[in-house]
Amino acid sequence: ETGVTQSPTHLIKTRGQQVTLRCSSQSGHNTVSWYQQALGQGPQFIFQYYREEENGRGNFPPRFSGLQFPNYSSELNVNALELDDSALYLCASSLGVAAGEQYFGPGTRLTVT
Amino acid sequence: DAKTTQPNSMESNEEEPVHLPCNHSTISGTDYIHWYRQLPSQGPEYVIHGLTSNVNNRMASLAIAEDRKSSTLILHRATLRDAAVYYCILRDGGGSQGNLIFGKGTKLSVKP
């Protein structure tokens, strides 16, 4: 059983650029959630995808967008990067939206300069 | 969403039990109590969850107060690998969204 994987591991971007982060969910999981974790803080929910449809969104602006593909892998896109977007971006997969357990990937560390 | 309150940090000695408390006085009847932990430089890891009854698994035990306004995560024998930030999270079991709302958690240090 393959766990949740994310790519890339680290990324450095310049303010104003766009970035795409990728997540492969655990085998059989149809739900992916994305979180942003600033240094010293707990993860903050960005949005969730269930069977290729957005199923809930946290308090993040529209320049944060996502996709889920038929194989349930997912992308997080961030446009017009700001310095405050520097954070660890985590994805988590689960079997259904109401699942008690979410399985997190190791995250992508994004630095915006 | 109902909030939780946890101590910022706790210390434990290796091979001793650890009791991590969590207060959730505004918990609703459909809220599940979840615990996750985050080891350094890793994503969060599911530990355990429960609704009303105490729960046990290979990692830990979860003791839930009778009025459900507090709970305690119990690590029976702490190891150095248990040093992590532990998050107590309430999630509405009756909702259609599965997002987790993390606080700052409790940073557990384990001394050899």
Side-chain angles (χ1 to χ4, degrees):
Chain A
E1 186 177 88
T2 307
V4 178
T5 60
Q6 293 186 243
S7 63
T9 306
H10 295 88
L11 199 55
I12 299 175
K13 288 285 191 177
T14 303
R15 189 171 47 184
Q17 287 187 314
Q18 177 265 344
V19 69
T20 297
L21 310 181
R22 295 178 175 82
C23 171
S24 291
S25 59
Q26 187 160 313
S27 177
H29 285 185
N30 54 19
T31 304
V32 173
S33 303
W34 285 91
Y35 295 82
Q36 179 195 65
Q37 186 173 26
L39 209 57
Q41 305 295 317
Q44 301 298 306
F45 174 70
I46 302 175
F47 43 56
Q48 181 183 77
Y49 278 84
Y50 171 65
R51 292 186 173 181
E52 303 178 60
E53 297 285 333
E54 186 177 292
N55 180 58
R57 187 180 184 93
N59 189 26
F60 280 81
R63 58 189 185 85
F64 285 78
S65 63
L67 280 174
Q68 188 179 31
F69 300 99
N71 67 354
Y72 302 134
S73 66
S74 178
E75 285 183 356
L76 164 65
N77 299 290
V78 187
N79 293 323
L81 283 167
E82 301 177 358
L83 296 179
D84 284 348
D85 295 334
S86 295
L88 181 68
Y89 288 85
L90 297 157
C91 80
S93 75
S94 58
L95 186 57
V97 297
E101 300 178 38
Q102 292 191 13
Y103 295 84
F104 284 80
T108 293
R109 171 71 62 188
L110 173 65
T111 302
V112 182
T113 62
Chain B
D1 295 288
K3 295 192 185 301
T4 63
T5 304
Q6 300 177 251
N8 290 333
S9 62
M10 289 184 65
E11 273 191 359
S12 172
N13 294 316
E14 197 176 12
E15 298 190 5
E16 289 186 355
V18 181
H19 290 233
L20 296 163
C22 181
N23 288 318
H24 29 79
S25 58
T26 59
I27 191 170
S28 73
T30 56
D31 283 337
Y32 283 78
I33 303 159
H34 291 250
W35 284 83
Y36 280 75
R37 71 179 186 180
Q38 188 170 19
L39 280 63
S41 302
Q42 294 189 26
E45 174 187 29
Y46 168 82
V47 178
I48 200 167
H49 77 283
L51 183 62
T52 55
S53 305
N54 295 343
V55 184
N56 299 295
N57 67 20
R58 63 174 180 81
M59 289 182 70
S61 295
L62 175 59
I64 301 173
E66 196 169 332
D67 64 5
R68 303 210 323 127
K69 293 185 177 182
S70 66
S71 61
T72 303
L73 179 71
I74 302 166
L75 306 180
H76 296 286
R77 285 184 69 216
T79 70
L80 297 179
R81 289 177 298 175
D82 290 322
V85 177
Y86 286 77
Y87 297 99
C88 170
I89 299 165
L90 300 183
R91 192 177 69 83
D92 183 5
S96 60
Q97 295 181 22
N99 56 298
L100 301 171
I101 299 177
F102 290 82
K104 290 191 174 182
T106 297
K107 184 173 183 178
L108 175 67
S109 302
V110 180
K111 296 182 291 184

